[in-house]
Amino acid sequence: MHYGLIDLRLFVAIAELKNLTRGAERVHLAPSSASHRIRLLEASIGTPLLLREARGVKLTRAGELLLRHARQVFAQLEQMHADLSPYAKGVRGHVRLWANTHATHTFLPDSLSAFLRCYPQVSITLEEHTSPEVVMAVVRGEVEVGVVAESVEGVDVELIPYRADRLVLITPADHPLAGRTSTSFVEVLDFPFVMLHSGSAIHTFTMNAAAALGRHLEVRIQVRSFEAVCRMVSAGVGLGMVPGSAIPDDTTRSSLAILELQESWAQRDLKVCVKNRELLSGFAASLVESLTGKPLT
């Protein structure tokens, strides 16, 4: 296939405006040139992309598919420019950091803010993954530094203590369980839950914990942050399972009951994960020291 970014930008403009002439104007092309490019694009792909109508154009099924992919291409290009721009501005270092949901939403914002104040010449890419995914990425060398709550058996990595925390169950203040101080996980599986979004590390962990008991968790609603979980639970939507450190110290807390979970896996001590600390690049080593408070000796 022979086409370029100009052709894709033109196609997206025409598709969004539903008009070839206005689409051509958006990308600063003459209508005749735009029409020629679209014909060549269709010939290159091997199928019609637009249906010409009296008052504009309409996408074919292939055109709808191309539009979705073209938008993804331009989104990736924008992300590439965003990732590269710090270097053009004089940033001299970059560290990729993967972490589980717990660390990403609780402790890392303050930790990374403190690190970046000390190292303004460094940029960080932070991605959220499950702990096993983080460990394996460190082993493969995809990232130098990870933050996890569990390791992978048989994998040789260094785990350095970062923060101690524990998962707790939260219920509305007027819930039948609210008068208790602790509970087992199996005792609450008949109640609906508020969860972080599907694909988040803690969502995967919780669903697997229920499956290990031969049960299915009823998820009433999924949200994007621990704060939203707490607010939904306080409003009576369902139960939630969150790190104790994620419960806000505000009016929401007063409308929640907090129960200790009796499971051993509820203890979620976070650790910094590296393949070999002595072989870390300079800024990655500095980040590990900042997170753990333990200088390399």
Side-chain angles (χ1 to χ4, degrees):
M1 295 184 183
H2 302 285
Y3 52 85
L5 291 178
I6 294 176
D7 301 313
L8 290 181
R9 289 193 187 279
L10 171 63
F11 174 75
V12 171
I14 294 171
E16 291 179 346
L17 296 172
K18 296 181 173 59
N19 185 280
L20 189 145
T21 300
R22 292 204 302 272
E25 290 175 354
R26 177 187 283 185
V27 296
H28 310 294
L29 289 174
S32 58
S33 177
S35 180
H36 180 65
R37 282 181 175 272
I38 291 297
R39 284 197 298 271
L40 291 178
L41 178 61
E42 290 177 320
S44 179
I45 292 175
T47 187
L49 301 171
L50 301 172
L51 297 175
R52 280 72 170 175
E53 299 180 333
R55 305 183 68 176
V57 297
K58 180 180 178 182
L59 294 179
T60 64
R61 292 288 296 275
E64 292 174 353
L65 184 62
L66 178 61
L67 177 61
R68 185 170 76 249
H69 284 291
R71 284 170 169 165
Q72 292 173 351
V73 166
F74 291 122
Q76 285 294 107
L77 283 173
E78 289 302 317
Q79 184 61 54
M80 180 184 74
H81 295 152
D83 290 343
L84 290 173
S85 64
Y87 296 96
K89 296 175 182 176
V91 171
R92 297 194 299 273
H94 183 79
V95 181
R96 293 188 68 201
L97 171 66
W98 283 19
N100 70 344
T101 307
H102 184 173
T104 301
H105 288 258
T106 53
F107 299 111
L108 279 177
D110 288 340
S111 295
L112 295 181
S113 176
F115 172 77
L116 292 171
R117 282 196 300 271
C118 295
Y119 295 90
Q121 73 275 41
V122 178
S123 65
I124 294 175
T125 299
L126 173 62
E127 294 185 23
E128 179 185 318
H129 296 272
T130 65
S131 289
E133 289 171 342
V134 175
V135 172
M136 295 312 299
V138 169
V139 170
R140 292 190 299 266
E142 295 176 22
V143 294
E144 287 193 89
V145 185
V147 179
V148 301
E150 58 187 297
S151 185
V152 176
E153 188 174 350
V155 172
D156 185 19
V157 293
E158 293 185 37
L159 297 173
I160 311 162
Y162 171 50
R163 295 287 189 275
D165 205 354
R166 189 173 180 86
L167 292 176
V168 296
L169 185 84
I170 54 175
T171 77
D174 58 354
H175 193 273
L177 294 174
R180 302 176 60 171
T181 58
S182 67
T183 184
S184 65
F185 186 52
V186 70
E187 290 180 275
V188 301
L189 292 178
D190 290 328
F191 295 100
F193 268 71
V194 178
M195 295 283 293
L196 283 192
H197 58 94
S198 178
S200 65
I202 198 166
H203 181 280
T204 301
F205 174 83
T206 307
M207 300 302 278
N208 287 342
L213 295 170
R215 302 289 299 277
H216 176 72
L217 202 65
E218 179 189 347
V219 180
R220 178 167 287 175
I221 190 169
Q222 297 180 44
V223 294
R224 302 295 299 186
S225 69
F226 286 130
E227 179 184 3
V229 172
C230 292
R231 292 191 178 279
M232 286 290 180
V233 172
S234 70
V237 176
L239 308 184
M241 194 166 70
V242 299
S245 61
I247 300 174
D249 189 18
D250 59 12
T251 54
T252 303
R253 191 182 187 102
S254 63
S255 56
L256 294 173
I258 304 170
L259 286 69
E260 292 289 328
L261 283 164
Q262 297 166 2
E263 273 64 36
S264 59
W265 49 251
Q267 188 65 37
R268 304 295 283 171
D269 292 341
L270 298 171
K271 302 175 182 67
V272 172
C273 175
V274 299
K275 191 171 184 178
N276 186 330
R277 191 173 181 186
E278 294 184 352
L279 299 179
L280 290 173
S281 63
F283 288 122
S286 297
L287 175 60
V288 171
E289 179 178 340
S290 177
L291 293 177
T292 64
K294 295 180 179 180
L296 181 61
T297 56

